[in-house]
Amino acid sequence: MTRDRGRPASAPAVPDAHLVYPSFASYVKERGPVLLRTARSLTSNVNDAEDLLQTALTKTYVAWDRIADHRALDGYVRRALVNTRTSQWRKRKVDEFSCDELPEPESTVLEDPAEQQALRDAMWGAITKLPDRQRAMVVLRYYEDLSEVQTAEILGVSVGTVKSAVSRALGKLREDPELRQGV
């Protein structure tokens, strides 16, 4: 029988899922409440403490045959509890950040919907006064949110033509008396 690091060749490198350690079961039954109190002191609630203890006991179970002195099991499990909890702290996602300013926007006064509609109507009235080509370019650029290149392609003109025509159209809109009343 060949031995590899103290194990017989037939022994599995990882503990078999069906392998049972009666001494582990009796240890958990006897020391479980004490270990749960330790886990509880490391967490904020009982459910997290139970999960933490289960994880630490799983790690202990996997290493059960490698633990030389079973009289020091409490220390081993406590170290597993602390290491596991430390790993959880390091991995946790921080959802809250402290800052000088509150993230909530200051309460803004909502504009009157009737005024907003009147402004939209005035804007469309002013746009309809533009020459057809300028109106088409303004609508494509700002209402359809197309780029200058896309607008030029659709209308079959150069990008420079779109830029200059839109610039002139915006100048006319700025000077429209219907729109200036709202400013």
Side-chain angles (χ1 to χ4, degrees):
M1 193 166 22
T2 18
R3 296 179 63 84
D4 180 26
R5 287 193 242 162
R7 272 192 305 263
S10 61
V14 178
D16 186 14
H18 302 290
L19 190 60
V20 178
Y21 297 114
S23 56
F24 178 79
S26 62
Y27 171 76
V28 172
K29 185 182 262 187
E30 180 184 330
R31 301 299 296 164
V34 173
L35 296 171
L36 183 59
R37 280 195 301 270
T38 303
R40 179 69 178 98
S41 70
L42 295 171
T43 62
S44 58
N45 67 50
V46 176
N47 295 327
D48 289 342
E50 290 172 352
D51 290 345
L52 178 63
L53 180 58
Q54 285 299 317
T55 302
L57 288 174
T58 301
K59 291 177 180 181
T60 304
Y61 181 82
V62 169
W64 191 256
D65 61 350
R66 293 189 315 259
I67 299 173
D69 185 6
H70 280 228
R71 292 175 297 180
L73 283 173
D74 281 357
Y76 185 93
V77 175
R78 283 190 182 104
R79 175 53 49 198
L81 286 168
V82 171
N83 289 347
T84 302
R85 187 63 181 148
T86 301
S87 294
Q88 290 171 347
W89 287 331
R90 289 180 181 151
K91 290 178 186 175
R92 75 180 175 149
K93 179 182 173 189
V94 177
D95 291 329
E96 297 180 19
F97 300 96
S98 62
C99 58
D100 294 335
E101 297 178 24
L102 293 176
E104 294 83 18
E106 292 181 20
S107 61
T108 57
V109 178
L110 297 176
E111 294 184 31
D112 183 15
E115 288 179 21
Q116 291 176 345
Q117 186 61 47
L119 181 59
R120 280 193 290 275
D121 291 344
M123 178 61 78
W124 273 112
I127 289 174
T128 58
K129 294 177 195 174
L130 294 173
D132 291 343
R133 195 163 140 170
Q134 286 181 356
R135 182 173 55 243
M137 290 182 191
V138 167
V139 168
L140 290 173
R141 282 285 291 130
Y142 298 104
Y143 283 91
E144 296 296 322
D145 199 27
L146 297 179
S147 70
E148 292 168 340
V149 173
Q150 292 168 322
T151 302
E153 287 175 3
I154 289 172
L155 297 176
V157 297
S158 70
V159 175
T161 302
V162 172
K163 289 180 180 182
S164 62
V166 168
S167 177
R168 283 192 303 275
L170 293 176
K172 289 179 183 178
L173 292 174
R174 283 188 201 101
E175 299 303 319
D176 189 282
E178 297 286 324
L179 295 177
R180 293 185 62 74
Q181 289 176 2
V183 176

